[in-house]
Amino acid sequence: AIRSLNYIDQAEQNSYPKFNRNTRVKTVVCDDKIEILDPPTKPQKPKNNLFMRLLPSLGMLIAAGVMAFFGGAMIIMSAISGAMAIFTTIMSIKEGNKDYKQSTAERIEKYNAYIAKKKGEIQQCRAQEHDELEALFVSQSVERSRFNSFSSDLFDRSKEDEDYLCVRLGDGDVLSKREVNYKKQEKLEIEDDLQLIPEQLCAEYKNVHNAPIVCDFKAINAMGIVGSPGFRFEFLKNIVIDIAARQYFSDVKMVFVAKKEQKNQIQWLRFLPHVYNDAVGGRNIVCDDESKNLIFEYLYKELTIREQNKSFSENIIVFFYDEYGFKSHPISKFVSKAKDLGVTFVFFGDT
């Protein structure tokens, strides 16, 4: 037996360095619209013009009085008929008002019950959408755990995927894909409060809260990130980890430009396979004049070829932690059409 060893053997993580790439099972975010029905038609309020409805009966009573004055024979019968007509009219008006109030109350009660049920349905849909977005754009902790375990879920995106190069920047309110759909009211004045509820519900559940905020890097020419040095560096790390964990290094290459005094902050990036450049036989890291001339010249030649051929085989993300003379270099002319050349420029700066 061998004694006094200061280390022990450990099992390799998932047969490291051999990597088996999983077939991706993609989460599809539902985008079906949620329909909200309009409230039922408001009951017609009775037109209770008491005087006009009683006028015939009052006329009958007046006629009976005139007949009594001249000694008519049917005075009592006419008076009774007039009184009954007045009583019937008053009762009819009261009954109509009662029916109207009852119909109005039932309409409000039933529609409020429908809206309460619909709210529950929308809340459930928003929770489901949140979970689907979390599964599609996983958090930093999930990506780090995949690195630590050398998970076969690493590099799960391909260039054909819709979410290829979609980078999670943080969490916040995101416009829901499941739009709340309702019939918009075109009246100048809306007297019925129930008709306002669908619009209010649409506004209340317009967004998914605390959901991944994503930027599609393949769809933009450039982006700028400003803030304190600590904030900028953390943002840089988060973006790099997201790209490196989800995209295969043969599909995406990353370039880093920084000052010489920032060399120690970015030297860890040299271990990423996404940084190795076969064309120059080195890493895409600029931190002095020599590396700047080499990488800037490579980028200029590569983008010129892409512009001429109208094609490219891999995306390039260029991170400018410092501008380092970029504005005065010929490659700056490509910024306005970078996405068409498969390139995205990311600039960092002070507030």
Side-chain angles (χ1 to χ4, degrees):
I2 301 176
R3 302 178 183 275
S4 303
L5 292 177
N6 57 3
Y7 63 89
I8 59 174
D9 291 334
Q10 290 184 344
E12 293 179 344
Q13 299 242 20
N14 293 343
S15 301
Y16 180 85
K18 181 182 178 182
F19 178 70
N20 294 315
R21 192 177 184 184
N22 265 353
T23 300
R24 184 184 183 191
V25 179
K26 289 189 287 187
T27 300
V28 178
V29 180
C30 180
D31 58 359
D32 295 339
K33 292 184 177 181
I34 302 173
E35 299 289 341
I36 297 182
L37 300 177
D38 285 341
T41 304
K42 190 175 182 180
Q44 189 69 32
K45 189 174 183 179
K47 296 180 179 180
N48 295 326
N49 191 327
L50 187 61
F51 175 76
M52 293 301 295
R53 296 189 64 176
L54 291 178
L55 186 59
S57 302
L58 290 174
M60 188 180 294
L61 288 178
I62 293 172
V66 173
M67 291 172 65
F69 180 77
F70 291 102
M74 299 295 292
I75 301 173
I76 298 177
M77 183 62 69
S78 298
I80 292 174
S81 298
M84 288 296 296
I86 292 174
F87 175 77
T88 303
T89 300
I90 294 174
M91 293 303 297
S92 175
I93 291 174
K94 290 183 65 177
E95 192 66 26
N97 288 337
K98 180 181 177 182
D99 291 343
Y100 170 74
K101 291 179 180 179
Q102 184 176 350
S103 299
T104 301
E106 288 178 355
R107 174 176 176 268
I108 294 173
E109 182 181 354
K110 288 180 179 180
Y111 193 69
N112 282 337
Y114 165 77
I115 289 298
K117 182 179 178 181
K118 208 66 182 179
K119 273 188 176 183
E121 178 186 331
I122 296 174
Q123 290 169 356
Q124 185 176 358
C125 291
R126 292 294 179 262
Q128 180 182 348
E129 185 175 354
H130 178 272
D131 294 341
E132 290 170 347
L133 290 172
E134 284 287 350
L136 194 59
F137 307 105
V138 298
S139 64
Q140 286 279 314
S141 60
V142 173
E143 291 174 340
R144 291 175 189 270
S145 68
R146 289 180 180 179
F147 278 126
N148 292 335
S149 64
F150 197 56
S151 170
S152 53
D153 290 325
L154 286 168
F155 320 127
D156 57 334
R157 289 175 178 161
S158 64
K159 289 187 284 188
E160 293 74 26
D161 292 335
E162 290 184 4
D163 61 341
Y164 171 70
L165 271 180
C166 289
V167 178
R168 180 171 179 168
L169 302 179
D171 299 327
D173 287 349
V174 176
L175 190 66
S176 174
K177 292 183 178 296
R178 299 204 63 181
E179 181 184 353
V180 176
N181 194 34
Y182 66 97
K183 183 179 179 181
K184 294 180 174 59
Q185 300 295 326
E186 298 180 354
K187 299 178 182 179
L188 294 176
E189 294 184 6
I190 299 177
E191 300 177 355
D192 186 6
D193 291 340
L194 293 186
Q195 291 182 335
L196 299 174
I197 293 179
E199 183 179 0
Q200 294 168 351
L201 209 60
C202 177
E204 182 179 355
Y205 293 100
K206 182 179 180 181
N207 297 321
V208 180
H209 302 300
N210 198 32
I213 295 177
V214 177
C215 177
D216 188 353
F217 273 44
K218 65 182 180 293
I220 60 173
N221 294 318
M223 71 178 298
I225 299 171
V226 297
S228 63
F231 166 82
R232 296 199 308 267
F233 185 64
E234 286 300 316
F235 220 85
L236 170 67
K237 288 196 299 183
N238 291 344
I239 294 175
V240 170
I241 289 173
D242 194 297
I243 294 175
R246 306 300 302 273
Q247 280 72 213
Y248 202 60
F249 59 85
S250 62
D251 295 331
V252 179
K253 294 298 181 183
M254 291 187 277
V255 179
F256 299 93
V257 181
K259 294 179 181 177
K260 188 174 184 179
E261 53 267 28
Q262 295 165 336
K263 179 179 179 180
N264 292 335
Q265 284 184 288
I266 65 170
Q267 63 179 354
W268 62 277
L269 296 167
R270 71 184 187 275
F271 296 110
L272 294 174
H274 302 72
V275 178
Y276 190 75
N277 189 327
D278 293 314
V280 300
R283 312 290 179 183
N284 290 326
I285 298 178
V286 173
C287 55
D288 56 34
D289 290 341
E290 182 180 357
S291 57
K292 171 193 170 183
N293 293 334
L294 179 66
I295 299 302
F296 276 28
E297 184 65 22
Y298 158 74
L299 286 174
Y300 180 74
K301 289 181 179 179
E302 176 66 22
L303 298 187
T304 300
I305 292 173
R306 293 186 178 195
E307 185 179 33
Q308 293 172 349
N309 296 339
K310 309 294 183 183
S311 64
F312 55 89
S313 60
E314 60 187 17
N315 289 84
I316 302 175
I317 313 297
V318 187
F319 296 91
F320 286 92
Y321 205 68
D322 184 79
E323 186 262 337
Y324 211 149
F326 166 77
K327 293 179 181 178
S328 59
H329 195 278
I331 58 174
S332 61
K333 73 175 185 178
F334 294 107
V335 172
S336 61
K337 50 189 169 185
K339 66 180 180 181
D340 298 325
L341 306 177
V343 181
T344 304
F345 294 99
V346 184
F347 299 95
F348 293 81
D350 293 320
T351 52

